[in-house]
Amino acid sequence: MSLRYVLTPGGSTVVLSDAALKTMNHYRQIAPRSKEAGGQLFAQFEGDDTIIVEATPPKWCDRRNRYNFHPSRWLQQQEIRKRYSCGLHFVGDWHTHPEAAPQPSQEDYRNMQDCFNKSIHDLNRFIMIIVGYAEAPEGLHVTLIGQNSVQLMFCENNL
């Protein structure tokens, strides 16, 4: 069940692959004591479309609790280098929230813009996905974040 997200109908898309959705879905905070989880998004490009082929799982040394997720930046850098050598591009991050239809916090926006500004890349924007406990697509919040921009994407259809 891949999902296609757009800013405007007929525009460029972000496609979430089955594999990426499966990883993110596995960490939904369904139980009352579930901790936030997250990882990185790796993609291939096909024309104007971004195909997210992998969402990495959280790592053993990430700091996690019910309402916060702080990844190991060192391990993330290692993953970026490894996957880039295999033809995959780092395009953003994902994490969970303990709510059905997740909404980003100001800290979420700041962290992603900080990541965008401090990273070396040729992209116009990074992708931030927040995963709630409702089933996709209702339980996904997909946002494009650039240096000075935040744009919400909409699920166009199930592929």
Side-chain angles (χ1 to χ4, degrees):
M1 168 190 95
S2 296
L3 296 174
R4 180 186 304 272
Y5 282 80
V6 298
L7 286 173
T8 58
S12 59
T13 64
V14 170
V15 176
L16 306 180
S17 71
D18 293 341
L21 286 166
K22 182 177 180 181
T23 298
M24 292 184 285
N25 188 54
H26 177 76
Y27 291 96
R28 289 184 300 145
Q29 291 180 262
I30 296 170
R33 295 181 190 241
S34 298
K35 295 178 181 180
E36 277 197 16
Q40 297 177 292
L41 301 169
F42 290 94
Q44 296 173 330
F45 303 109
E46 294 180 11
D48 289 336
D49 298 333
T50 302
I51 314 301
I52 297 178
V53 297
E54 183 180 6
T56 62
K59 304 296 178 254
W60 63 271
C61 56
D62 294 339
R63 293 189 335 258
R64 301 170 54 196
N65 65 40
R66 179 75 174 157
Y67 301 104
N68 288 292
F69 170 74
H70 299 283
S72 166
R73 295 295 182 203
W74 184 83
L75 281 178
Q76 286 187 328
Q77 281 299 319
Q78 303 310 310
E79 286 187 327
I80 290 170
R81 287 186 186 100
K82 179 181 174 184
R83 283 166 177 79
Y84 185 76
S85 69
C86 297
L88 296 178
H89 299 271
F90 169 71
V91 294
D93 290 330
W94 73 272
H95 70 277
T96 62
H97 274 193
E99 53 191 337
Q103 294 298 312
S105 67
Q106 289 304 311
E107 182 179 1
D108 291 332
Y109 289 130
R110 276 193 305 273
N111 288 342
M112 200 73 239
Q113 283 186 317
D114 190 49
C115 180
F116 179 85
N117 292 333
K118 290 182 177 179
S119 297
I120 299 170
H121 57 82
D122 294 326
L123 302 173
N124 294 325
R125 297 170 292 243
F126 278 174
I127 301 165
M128 178 177 70
I129 299 176
I130 300 179
V131 181
Y133 57 77
E135 293 284 336
E138 293 79 14
L140 294 179
H141 186 98
V142 181
T143 308
L144 297 178
I145 297 185
Q147 185 172 357
N148 296 309
S149 67
V150 174
Q151 296 173 294
L152 177 63
M153 298 194 83
F154 301 93
C155 187
E156 184 176 66
N157 66 330
N158 296 348
L159 297 176

